[in-house]
Amino acid sequence: MTGLSDSFQRPINYLRVSVTDRCNLRCIYCMPRQGIALSPRSEILSYEEIQTVARAAATLGINKLRLTGGEPLVRAELPRLVHMLSQMEGIDDLSLTTNGVLLKRYSAPLKQAGLKRVNVSLDTLKRERFKQITGRDKLSHVLAGIEAAHKAGLEPVKINMVVMRGINDDEVLDFARLSKDEGWNVRFIELMPFGQAASLQFVPVAEIEQIILSLGPLEPCSFSPGNGPAKYFRFSQASGTIGFISPLSEHFCFNCNRLRLTADGRLRPCLLSDEEVDLRQPLRQEASPEEVSQLIRQAVAAKPERHHLAEGVLPKERTMCHMGG
Ligand code: SAM
Ligand code: SF4
């Protein structure tokens, strides 16, 4: 293993793989209610193609993989892909980001296939509001999914809440309390106001933290399986944690360690820039492992120093459900 780093000396060791652009929810900040123009299935990478990319990435020094989407659990036989990736030399951490709707059914098979842990996106604990935010009446499915993930040992289960002003910001305290009462690991995420989310308002994490402090002091803690961009805290005696992720008010680009692979086979050096490196065509023209590695290196070299979302520079070509968040 040689270790990858970009032009700004940031070590790159994390690949987020979007396995589908399809989804069973329609979150207001991500997908239009009528859905998006889906890529034809022939353009979506096969599991074998994803494995080829992951293997080349692992040889270069990527040791963390996350499966995302769209909704990864709507793709048929996801445990088969998990099995293929979990066997791979060099991969220490294999995780999944899901909306949780199908997690009850899949937690045990995913664990058995070698998945380590899950992040579940959940923005409200109220049934009616869940319907408004996601377009579907599935809150009870998600809660059952979270329980099943714990039972299966997909730990730590992290709950990601995107906080939107006037929509769910009145539930910040309810989610924070769950870190005390139920041992949940809750992460509060600033909405990135582009695409579907352009007309919604984000809430800065400093403001979210102030709201939470009304429940008592927070102690910094080092909980960070996955070593992501969140800053973690806990209430004294609480078994769960509180995390804050601030892509907007305090961007963490200086620490960025990731690349993204879109469902249709493009490597994306930065979530918030439209630059991409195509892998699908080379893969289908039987590129050698060395050629695939070279394209990965090219994507790493193209990583910009930082995003410019706050200055209004937005990705135009893709929605979040193409890129996997
Ligand atoms: N369907 C899965 C899910 O919802 O967890 C995985 C894909 S989703 C695109 C990944 C993450 O991106 C979710 O946690 C979602 O809340 C987040 N997300 C989507 N659009 C966002 C936006 N505009 N700002 C911040 N987070 C966003
Ligand atoms: Fe689907 Fe996830 Fe986007 Fe919601 S955030 S619409 S669950 S892809």
Side-chain angles (χ1 to χ4, degrees):
M1 190 173 97
T2 51
L4 271 176
S5 55
D6 71 2
S7 326
F8 305 95
Q9 283 74 54
R10 292 173 296 201
I12 307 300
N13 68 342
Y14 178 22
L15 179 66
R16 292 176 69 99
V17 179
S18 173
V19 297
T20 180
D21 52 6
R22 290 166 161 74
C23 187
N24 46 4
L25 296 183
R26 296 284 180 271
C27 301
I28 43 173
Y29 47 74
C30 181
M31 274 225 191
R33 287 286 139 111
Q34 73 277 18
I36 51 162
L38 298 170
S39 307
R41 283 184 196 273
S42 60
E43 290 182 7
I44 300 295
L45 291 193
S46 68
Y47 287 167
E48 286 68 25
E49 288 167 333
I50 292 174
Q51 184 184 33
T52 301
V53 178
R55 190 174 286 130
T59 313
L60 289 170
I62 298 283
N63 59 8
K64 288 164 37 117
L65 294 177
R66 173 174 295 279
L67 304 179
T68 175
E71 171 48 39
L73 293 179
V74 302
R75 181 144 179 198
E77 296 181 36
L78 193 73
R80 183 166 75 84
L81 176 65
V82 167
H83 183 70
M84 288 158 74
L85 299 176
S86 66
Q87 303 298 309
M88 199 171 279
E89 204 172 314
I91 300 301
D92 310 324
D93 187 24
L94 178 58
S95 59
L96 173 79
T97 295
T98 172
N99 61 30
V101 171
L102 297 172
L103 200 49
K104 182 172 178 196
R105 189 190 309 168
Y106 283 111
S107 283
L110 286 169
K111 177 71 182 178
Q112 218 169 10
L115 189 74
K116 292 239 158 83
R117 58 194 180 89
V118 288
N119 289 2
V120 182
S121 307
L122 177 62
D123 302 326
T124 178
L125 300 164
K126 299 177 196 280
R127 182 175 172 187
E128 270 312 305
R129 188 175 282 176
F130 186 94
K131 274 204 259 179
Q132 281 159 10
I133 293 177
T134 69
R136 305 281 188 273
D137 187 11
K138 298 284 184 191
L139 176 61
S140 60
H141 292 67
V142 180
L143 296 174
I146 292 170
E147 204 183 313
H150 282 298
K151 248 192 208 146
L154 291 169
E155 302 286 359
V157 178
K158 295 181 195 168
I159 309 299
N160 289 339
M161 178 196 194
V162 174
V163 185
M164 295 165 275
R165 197 178 296 287
I167 294 183
N168 64 350
D169 50 346
D170 58 342
E171 289 188 72
V172 162
L173 280 182
D174 294 338
F175 274 79
R177 266 190 214 101
L178 287 168
S179 81
K180 280 178 153 181
D181 301 345
E182 302 290 335
W184 279 25
N185 300 299
V186 182
R187 307 195 305 170
F188 297 93
I189 301 177
E190 285 176 355
L191 174 86
M192 288 180 268
F194 70 94
Q196 272 305 111
S199 61
L200 301 170
Q201 259 192 304
F202 86 110
V203 181
V205 294
E207 193 178 322
I208 299 171
E209 190 177 348
Q210 278 311 309
I211 298 171
I212 293 174
L213 285 172
S214 68
L215 289 180
L218 287 172
E219 303 163 354
C221 69
S222 60
F223 171 91
S224 68
N227 219 8
K231 290 185 185 150
Y232 288 99
F233 300 84
R234 66 169 91 237
F235 292 112
S236 140
Q237 314 292 332
S239 57
T241 57
I242 304 265
F244 297 107
I245 303 185
S246 55
L248 219 69
S249 68
E250 205 183 312
H251 74 79
F252 33 79
C253 301
F254 53 87
N255 254 339
C256 184
N257 62 347
R258 58 192 64 185
L259 277 184
R260 292 176 168 80
L261 179 63
T262 64
D264 59 355
R266 293 186 161 80
L267 276 177
R268 206 169 161 97
C270 171
L271 175 69
L272 296 170
S273 149
D274 281 321
E275 182 157 2
E276 294 180 346
V277 174
D278 181 35
L279 282 183
R280 188 180 72 227
Q281 203 182 341
L283 283 168
R284 293 186 180 175
Q285 291 171 347
E286 302 194 11
S288 67
E290 185 40 49
E291 282 164 329
V292 177
S293 298
Q294 191 45 42
L295 290 165
I296 296 173
R297 281 199 204 92
Q298 188 183 322
V300 168
K303 277 181 73 65
E305 186 172 15
R306 52 164 294 199
H307 72 68
H308 293 277
L309 197 54
E311 296 95 309
V313 183
L314 309 170
K316 294 182 190 64
E317 306 291 328
R318 300 268 197 179
T319 66
M320 205 60 134
C321 38
H322 287 121
M323 306 185 297

